Amino acid sequence: AYGSEIVRGVAGVLMGAGGIAVLLAILVGWFISRQISAPLLLLADATHRMADGNLGVRVVLQGEDEFGLLASSFNHMAERVENTVVTLRRFVADAAHELHTPITALHANLELAATDENETQRLTFVQRAQEQLKRLEAMTSSLLDLSKLESGEQPYERATVDINLLVAQVSELYASRAEQAGLSFQFDTPLESMESQVNEAQLRRVVGNLLDN
């Protein structure tokens, strides 16, 4: 009888301790799950908000653990996406503005050529329209080249180029146009030669665009 009482006492203690251990395990598991799920839910919420168009969303998580590194990577990615979208919007707006001017001039010249009865004047309007078409072709070609460069489809080849000589050669093409427009045209470059490793075709286009503007 005494042994049975001892066994029952020990069993009761063990059952009580086991219940407490199970309760502690549940509490610890709940706490750990909250510690894991809270940053994941925060990251998921930021991802959904970003998918809905809020590109300025960022995740605030302190710490050097895996979640802190993940939050830092997410914020870096979000910043790059935001900068890319802003740059793309600005690029589209600038391209639309640049294309609008020659399209308007082309439309006006064609209307004048269609209504003017003077053959000489009509030919002048047609020639002006052809110039605007060439300008549009150059713009669209530049946009396509830029798109290829950004996507990495077009190799960016470099060669040693004399910058002074290149600027002088390109400027000669616009000197007569400036004179016809009544503009004073001059450029100053250093006397010594300036050589650099560049893509000559792209640099010529850049200088030409600056002078054309």
Side-chain angles (χ1 to χ4, degrees):
Y2 180 72
S4 298
E5 184 179 351
I6 293 176
V7 171
R8 285 195 296 270
V10 173
V13 172
L14 290 176
M15 290 181 63
I20 294 175
V22 171
L23 180 61
L24 288 175
I26 293 174
L27 292 175
V28 171
W30 177 81
F31 177 76
I32 294 177
S33 66
R34 288 289 299 175
Q35 291 293 107
I36 295 176
S37 62
L40 290 178
L41 291 175
L42 189 62
L43 285 166
D45 178 68
T47 304
H48 292 154
R49 289 164 59 191
M50 190 174 181
D52 291 335
N54 184 5
L55 301 180
V57 64
R58 299 293 185 270
V59 178
V60 181
L61 281 179
Q62 303 295 332
E64 299 295 332
D65 56 1
E66 290 80 359
F67 293 114
L69 295 176
L70 183 60
S72 177
S73 299
F74 175 86
N75 292 336
H76 180 66
M77 178 200 67
E79 183 177 0
R80 292 193 63 182
V81 170
E82 184 178 16
N83 292 337
T84 300
V85 172
V86 170
T87 302
L88 179 61
R89 289 173 178 172
R90 186 182 299 117
F91 173 77
V92 171
D94 292 342
H97 175 73
E98 290 294 329
L99 293 174
H100 181 266
T101 301
I103 289 175
T104 302
L106 177 62
H107 183 69
N109 287 321
L110 289 177
E111 282 189 346
L112 292 172
T115 57
D116 200 313
E117 297 180 356
N118 188 310
E119 186 68 24
T120 302
Q121 192 67 24
R122 183 185 302 173
L123 181 60
T124 301
F125 291 137
V126 172
Q127 291 175 345
R128 291 178 180 176
Q130 290 176 339
E131 291 178 358
Q132 298 302 326
L133 278 176
K134 292 180 180 179
R135 186 178 178 185
L136 284 173
E137 290 177 353
M139 286 183 177
T140 53
S141 177
S142 297
L143 292 176
L144 290 174
D145 289 343
L146 179 60
S147 175
K148 292 179 180 179
L149 286 173
E150 291 291 338
S151 62
E153 296 178 4
Q154 183 175 358
Y156 191 79
E157 299 178 354
R158 296 173 181 267
T160 302
V161 176
D162 188 339
I163 305 299
N164 288 348
L165 179 61
L166 184 144
V167 173
Q169 292 174 348
V170 177
S171 299
E172 290 178 358
L173 303 176
Y174 293 88
S176 60
R177 291 175 54 181
E179 183 179 357
Q180 294 174 1
L183 300 175
S184 176
F185 182 83
Q186 67 178 38
F187 68 95
D188 298 322
T189 57
L191 296 178
E192 64 275 8
S193 175
M194 293 191 306
E195 293 186 347
S196 180
Q197 290 287 328
V198 298
N199 183 288
E200 183 175 356
Q202 295 296 334
L203 186 58
R204 285 182 179 274
R205 182 168 297 170
V206 168
V207 176
N209 287 339
L210 289 173
L211 294 176
D212 187 61
N213 289 332

